[in-house]
Amino acid sequence: EPDSGMFTTGDFSQEHLYILMHITGDRQMQRVYYEGEFGGDIHLFVARELNIPRRLAKTILYAIIYGATLITISFHTKIRDIRKCSMFRDKLFEIFPDVAYWIKEAQETGLRTGWSEPTLFGRRIKIPEEVNQWGKVDEEGMKRKAVNYPILGSDGEIMKRALIICEREKLPLAITVHDSIVLDGDCEFPVDELENIAPVKIPFKVTKSKRWE
């Protein structure tokens, strides 16, 4: 069939952060997302608390999701000063104490058992035991995966269920990228059903454009 001339894109807005909020039960995250502190903009809230630009605050917050180690934060922020990275992480953990507690527990569980904490749908993912360049167990890598796996695993569970819903509705799928679904055509997503796939409601934002962006 010819190109319809229109793309309809649906995106699970800040999906990983909503997953983190639900898994950890963090009260401050709930205040931002559910009670509208700072207009519901969690990156602006973090920026104000750390006294840094919003873009950097966003990078640091997502770095926590991808492992919460100082090396991870340094890599994603391009800040070489590990002491500064440590200061940002410690402050962030003060702001989100329930997140900090969950991360610590998840890392300890991962190192002790070799398995991640459960995803939103109850799966536990095996953490591979890797060896570093000195021939010792790479504990930092395992700790990073212990935090990362429950969140990205939950992301995968949500996306697979979303694609099943789209297939059931016979929507013309063009491509999926991370937490986005792109349809070839001027289409209507079943937004309410998609937002309520998981135990936590995640906003599903829809845009339409003549080019895939």
Side-chain angles (χ1 to χ4, degrees):
E1 292 183 3
D3 186 349
S4 68
M6 178 71 74
F7 284 116
T8 301
T9 301
D11 177 76
F12 284 104
S13 179
Q14 299 186 20
E15 180 189 27
H16 294 172
L17 294 176
Y18 274 91
I19 292 170
L20 181 66
M21 176 187 67
H22 183 78
I23 287 177
T24 65
D26 191 89
R27 182 69 183 115
Q28 183 57 60
M29 293 188 77
Q30 292 172 357
R31 279 194 286 267
V32 174
Y33 280 131
Y34 292 153
E35 298 172 21
E37 283 192 8
F38 287 81
D41 187 339
I42 200 162
H43 303 306
L44 180 59
F45 169 73
V46 171
R48 296 284 179 86
E49 290 291 321
L50 299 185
N51 194 29
I52 57 176
R54 184 183 182 279
R55 182 187 296 271
L56 180 58
K58 181 177 179 180
T59 301
I60 292 172
L61 188 52
Y62 275 106
I64 292 293
I65 292 174
Y66 300 127
T69 66
L70 297 180
I71 294 173
T72 306
I73 295 173
S74 176
F75 174 79
H76 285 285
T77 62
K78 297 179 173 59
I79 297 173
R80 295 185 178 182
D81 187 343
I82 293 297
R83 290 175 299 178
K84 192 171 186 179
C85 293
S86 178
M87 180 189 69
F88 283 143
R89 185 187 64 177
D90 292 346
K91 181 62 177 176
L92 204 63
F93 282 171
E94 289 178 15
I95 298 169
F96 302 118
D98 298 307
V99 169
Y101 178 81
W102 178 83
I103 286 175
K104 180 181 178 182
E105 291 293 304
Q107 291 175 337
E108 289 178 355
T109 298
L111 288 177
R112 186 178 69 254
T113 69
W115 290 85
S116 74
E117 294 286 357
T119 63
L120 288 179
F121 293 88
R123 289 188 307 131
R124 300 189 72 185
I125 304 171
K126 182 68 175 175
I127 300 173
E129 186 175 288
E130 299 177 0
V131 177
N132 61 27
Q133 58 184 323
W134 298 284
K136 296 182 179 180
V137 174
D138 181 10
E139 291 192 357
E140 287 298 300
M142 291 184 69
K143 287 163 66 176
R144 186 172 61 252
K145 293 179 176 69
V147 175
N148 193 226
Y149 282 6
I151 297 171
L152 287 191
S154 297
D155 176 325
E157 293 168 336
I158 291 169
M159 285 299 294
K160 287 177 182 178
R161 285 163 172 77
L163 290 174
I164 290 171
I165 291 171
C166 291
E167 174 65 21
R168 185 199 66 203
E169 297 295 319
K170 295 182 170 51
L171 295 175
L173 179 67
I175 193 171
T176 63
V177 181
H178 301 302
D179 49 13
S180 298
I181 301 172
V182 183
L183 306 177
D184 184 4
D186 186 354
C187 309
E188 299 300 324
F189 280 104
V191 173
D192 186 64
E193 187 173 5
L194 291 169
E195 287 187 336
N196 289 282
I197 288 174
V200 57
K201 183 174 182 178
I202 302 172
F204 189 78
K205 307 295 185 181
V206 179
T207 58
K208 298 185 180 184
S209 61
K210 293 183 179 180
R211 291 170 45 179
W212 176 48
E213 300 175 351

